[in-house]
Amino acid sequence: MKYDVSVSFRGEDTRDNFTSHLYLALSRKNIQTFIDDQLNRGYEISESLVKAIKASAISVIIFSEDYASSRWCLDELAEILECKKLSFVLPFFYRVDPSDVRNQTGSFGDFSKLEERFEQNSEKPQTWRKGLREAAGLSGFHYRSIRPESELINEVVNHILKRLLEELFRPRDNKSQLVGVESRVEEIESLLSVESKDVYALGIWGIGGIGKTTIARATFDKISRYFEGSCFLENDENAIPGIDLNFRRLSRMKVLIVFDDVTCFSQLESIIGSLDWLMPVSRIIITTRNKQMEALEYHHALERFSRHAFKQNHPDVGYEELSSKAMKYAQGVPLALKVLGCFLYEREKEVWESAINKLQRILHPSILEVLKISYDGLDNKEKNIFLDVACFFQGEDVNLVMKFLNASGFYPKLGRSVLVDKSLIVKSNNNKITMHDLLQELGRDIVSKESNNPGNCSLFSSFNGENKCKGSYLQDPRFTEVKYLHWHGYPLKSLPSNISAKKLVFLEMPNSSIEQLWDGMKRSLCFLKYLIAALNNFGM
C-alpha cells in the first residue's frame, strides 16, 4: 500500500474545516494520507484518484450535507466500495444522520438533477443508491455538534492508528508473516517505556542472522507514528560522524532513531554521549553483534522453517522427524532456517537425509557451515555468481552486476533467479543487489580457503583501498585471469603487462591518475573520480 489513508469528501462542505483539520492530525502522526484537493473537477473521477484509492490501506468517507449532490463523490464512493476487499472502509457522518444516508432521505434523497444526465444509463443512479446503503451500514463515527471537533478528530486518528497497527501484523501469506516477531516487539515496547518522560536507549544484541534488524524494523514501523520525528539508519556508519549536530537539531522534538548494526565501540560512545541533546520521551534503538540474543523458540522456529521448506505452517506428513533434525543445526537462527528451508523445498527424502548426514559429520557445526549446505547445492556458475556478489558486488546496481556476470559467461538471469529462490541474494527496492551479511561472510570465507590453494581459486583479490598492496603482488600469475580490477588511488602510471586485456571486464580506479593502460596505448584518465569501464569502451 502506498498510502495509509485516503479521504473522500465534498469539498464545498468540509475542505476548509473538518477535512483540513483531520488531514493535519493524521499527518502529525506520520500517517501517509492521500487527499484529493483539486478545486476544478471534471465529470469523471481521475485515474490518479482511482489508483490512490486502490493503494490505500484505509478509506475514510466523510458524508456531509451536499455529498450526494456531487456525481464525483458518488463515483468515488462506488470505487471505494469496489476496493473494500483490499482496504478497510471507515464512514464519518459529519452533521448528517446516518439513516438519511442509508435510506436516501433528506439531502441524500434527491438525485433528480443527476439522474437527468443518465437517461441512457439508468444503472448509474442505482449503483449510487446501493453504495450509500452499503456505506451507511458500516461501523463509523457520527458528529452531532455536541462536543468539540478536535476531540472527535483525536478519537478518529487513534482508531485509524490502532487499525494500521493491526494490519502490520496481520498475516497476508505464508511468505510474508513475521513468525515470532510480534512477541519480541511487545517485549521491546515494554522495555522502551513509551509513556516515560525520560530519554531511553535500548540495545538489541545477537549474532548475525538472528533477526535483530527485522525486530528493530517491526518495532520502528509500529511505534514511529507516536513520535514527531523518526529515522531508521541501516548499517550506515557514515551517518555517525557529525551526530552531535544532528542531535542538536532534534533537541526540540520527540524522536525515535534506530541505529542498525553498530559495529564499533566508538560509534556507541558517540551515540550514547549525545543523548543529553534529545528531548525527554525520545527513544533510541541500537542493534549490534556484541552480545548473544535468544534464538527463536522451537514452535516459532518450526513454523518459520516450514514456511520455506513446505510453503505452509507445518511439515508435510512423513517429514516431521527430518524437519526436527534439520532445524537442530539451524540453532533457531531465522536466516539459517530460511536458507536451509529454501534449499530443501520440494527435495526428495534422500536429499534431506544427505544434507543432515553431512552436518552430522561436522563436530558442532557453525551457522556458516549450515548455510554452506545450500551453497554446495549450486552448480559451478551459480557458485561463481554467489561468490562474486559476496566479494565485490554487495549493494551494487543490478544492471552493472548483470553486465559483468554476463561478460564472464555465467548466464546471470538464470543464475540470479536460482539464488533469489534459495534466499541467497535479494534485489532491493532501489535496484541494488544485496545479500545478508552472514551470507557475505560465508562467501568470503569460501574464497579465503580457496586462496590457500591457488589451483582451486575462483576469485583473487588483494585490493583493500589503502595502497597497502606491494607492487610485487601484481606479478602474481593469477593476475593474468583478473576480470575486475579495483584500486583506490592506484599509484603507478600504467597497468602491469601481465594483466590480460582480453580477460579484464571492468576497471575501477577512483582517485587515480593513469597516463597509459598498456604499453603502446596512451590515454589520459586523470579526470577519474568513479568509473567502471568495459573494455570495448577503450577500443579493445
Side-chain angles (χ1 to χ4, degrees):
M1 293 294 182
K2 184 177 180 180
Y3 301 103
D4 295 321
V5 174
S6 65
V7 182
S8 170
F9 64 100
R10 180 72 164 112
E12 295 177 5
D13 289 349
T14 65
R15 176 185 292 111
D16 298 326
N17 43 65
F18 182 81
T19 297
S20 63
H21 299 156
L22 176 62
Y23 178 74
L24 182 60
L26 291 169
S27 299
R28 283 174 175 168
K29 291 294 184 179
N30 294 321
I31 297 174
Q32 296 295 319
T33 306
F34 175 86
I35 184 168
D36 183 22
D37 54 1
Q38 298 179 47
L39 297 178
N40 299 317
R41 296 182 171 186
Y43 286 110
E44 301 293 336
I45 61 175
S46 65
E47 184 179 351
S48 60
L49 177 58
V50 173
K51 288 182 178 179
I53 292 171
K54 292 180 177 179
S56 299
I58 297 176
S59 292
V60 175
I61 307 169
I62 303 175
F63 289 113
S64 56
E65 185 176 1
D66 288 331
Y67 187 92
S69 66
S70 167
R71 171 185 170 181
W72 181 286
C73 289
L74 294 171
D75 282 346
E76 188 176 354
L77 171 64
E79 189 66 43
I80 289 171
L81 295 174
E82 182 71 23
C83 300
K84 194 172 67 170
K85 291 182 179 180
L86 300 177
S87 63
F88 177 73
V89 178
L90 180 66
F92 189 97
F93 304 94
Y94 183 75
R95 296 180 175 174
V96 297
D97 196 309
S99 63
D100 283 341
V101 180
R102 182 182 305 108
N103 302 318
Q104 283 98 63
T105 55
S107 63
F108 285 82
D110 186 10
F111 284 170
S112 57
K113 292 182 180 179
L114 292 177
E115 286 176 326
E116 289 175 0
R117 303 175 185 173
F118 293 97
E119 295 179 359
Q120 297 179 353
N121 186 4
S122 59
E123 295 182 1
K124 196 80 167 180
Q126 295 304 315
T127 300
W128 294 339
R129 293 184 185 279
K130 179 183 177 183
L132 290 170
R133 285 194 298 270
E134 183 178 351
L138 299 173
S139 176
F141 291 86
H142 185 194
Y143 177 64
R144 300 183 181 88
S145 302
I146 59 175
R147 59 170 170 160
E149 282 188 9
S150 58
E151 288 185 7
L152 188 57
I153 286 175
N154 188 54
E155 187 178 335
V156 172
V157 170
N158 288 334
H159 180 81
I160 289 173
L161 269 175
K162 181 180 178 182
R163 180 72 190 190
L164 289 172
L165 295 179
E166 290 173 354
E167 285 291 303
L168 179 64
F169 289 103
R170 182 172 68 86
R172 305 206 186 290
D173 53 54
N174 284 345
K175 290 184 178 180
S176 63
Q177 186 177 10
L178 301 176
V179 178
V181 169
E182 185 172 3
S183 61
R184 299 298 176 90
V185 171
E186 291 173 353
E187 181 181 358
I188 290 173
E189 278 189 278
S190 175
L191 292 171
L192 282 173
S193 304
V194 175
E195 300 303 321
S196 172
K197 293 186 178 180
D198 295 321
V199 176
Y200 271 67
L202 178 142
I204 303 178
W205 292 278
I207 62 173
I210 198 71
K212 302 183 296 297
T213 299
T214 300
I215 293 169
R217 170 59 74 178
T219 304
F220 178 85
D221 289 343
K222 185 175 183 181
I223 69 174
S224 61
R225 304 176 190 279
Y226 298 108
F227 295 83
E228 295 173 295
S230 58
C231 182
F232 193 105
L233 297 173
E234 297 180 280
N235 52 43
D236 184 5
E237 296 182 20
N238 294 326
I240 303 302
I243 198 170
D244 289 344
L245 176 61
N246 293 333
F247 272 43
R248 288 189 185 98
R249 291 176 179 174
L250 298 172
S251 62
R252 297 182 181 180
M253 298 174 64
K254 176 184 176 182
V255 297
L256 170 68
I257 305 176
V258 177
F259 295 93
D260 184 42
D261 197 19
V262 175
T263 56
C264 64
F265 182 73
S266 61
Q267 287 179 287
L268 283 171
E269 269 193 321
S270 178
I271 295 169
I272 301 300
S274 301
L275 292 184
D276 291 341
W277 290 107
L278 290 178
M279 182 180 181
V281 304
S282 291
R283 297 292 180 266
I284 304 294
I285 298 176
I286 302 166
T287 75
T288 181
R289 293 189 182 190
N290 291 344
K291 281 193 177 181
Q292 291 290 332
M293 183 179 179
E294 292 181 9
L296 287 181
E297 296 177 3
Y298 179 83
H299 66 285
H300 283 148
L302 178 61
E303 184 177 347
R304 185 176 181 88
F305 175 79
S306 298
R307 287 182 183 279
H308 298 288
F310 305 103
K311 307 305 180 187
Q312 59 190 16
N313 293 347
H314 53 81
D316 284 344
V317 175
Y319 281 82
E320 296 89 348
E321 185 177 354
L322 287 171
S323 296
S324 181
K325 289 181 179 179
M327 284 174 49
K328 179 179 70 173
Y329 296 104
Q331 303 171 38
V333 175
L335 177 67
L337 291 165
K338 180 179 181 181
V339 172
L340 194 56
C342 288
F343 168 70
L344 294 172
Y345 174 59
E346 291 189 334
R347 298 294 187 106
E348 300 293 334
K349 285 188 177 181
E350 290 77 9
V351 178
W352 282 65
E353 291 167 352
S354 175
I356 292 170
N357 289 335
K358 186 171 183 178
L359 290 171
Q360 285 176 339
R361 290 195 295 270
I362 305 172
L363 184 64
H364 306 304
S366 67
I367 295 300
L368 288 184
E369 288 165 325
V370 175
L371 297 176
K372 193 172 182 293
I373 291 289
S374 185
Y375 169 83
D376 290 339
L378 302 174
D379 66 26
N380 288 334
K381 293 186 184 299
E382 293 160 358
K383 287 179 178 178
N384 278 320
I385 293 174
F386 175 82
L387 296 178
D388 279 354
V389 173
C391 292
F392 298 116
F393 298 122
Q394 169 77 304
E396 294 288 352
D397 181 79
V398 170
N399 295 327
L400 182 150
V401 177
M402 295 294 282
K403 182 178 180 181
F404 172 83
L405 297 174
N406 188 59
S408 300
F410 290 155
Y411 306 105
K413 287 187 178 180
L414 176 61
R416 188 184 77 175
S417 66
V418 171
L419 295 180
V420 169
D421 289 343
K422 292 181 179 292
S423 297
L424 296 176
I425 63 172
V426 175
K427 178 185 175 183
S428 65
N429 291 334
N430 57 353
N431 207 43
K432 305 291 185 182
I433 191 164
T434 64
M435 62 170 51
H436 193 282
D437 50 6
L438 200 60
L439 290 167
Q440 185 178 31
E441 184 180 337
L442 168 66
R444 293 182 171 182
D445 182 67
I446 291 170
V447 171
S448 176
K449 290 176 180 177
E450 288 181 347
S451 296
N452 293 327
N453 181 1
N456 189 38
C457 185
S458 58
L459 294 169
F460 179 68
S461 173
S462 298
F463 309 121
N464 57 14
E466 297 181 7
N467 281 333
K468 292 182 179 178
C469 297
K470 297 179 180 179
S472 59
Y473 291 174
L474 297 174
Q475 305 306 316
D476 190 293
R478 286 172 290 178
F479 265 89
T480 60
E481 301 296 319
V482 165
K483 296 177 181 176
Y484 180 105
L485 179 58
H486 174 105
W487 194 319
H488 187 281
Y490 181 72
L492 305 180
K493 293 183 178 181
S494 63
L495 292 179
S497 58
N498 64 328
I499 291 183
S500 171
K502 294 181 179 179
K503 297 290 180 67
L504 188 63
V505 177
F506 284 151
L507 176 65
E508 185 178 4
M509 290 188 169
N511 295 331
S512 303
S513 178
I514 308 175
E515 296 179 0
Q516 62 184 47
L517 293 178
W518 276 270
D519 291 336
M521 187 187 80
K522 296 183 182 287
R523 183 184 294 266
S524 176
L525 294 175
C526 58
F527 60 86
L528 278 176
K529 290 184 179 178
Y530 184 84
L531 175 67
I532 296 180
L535 280 178
N536 56 12
N537 290 339
F538 295 108
M540 296 181 184

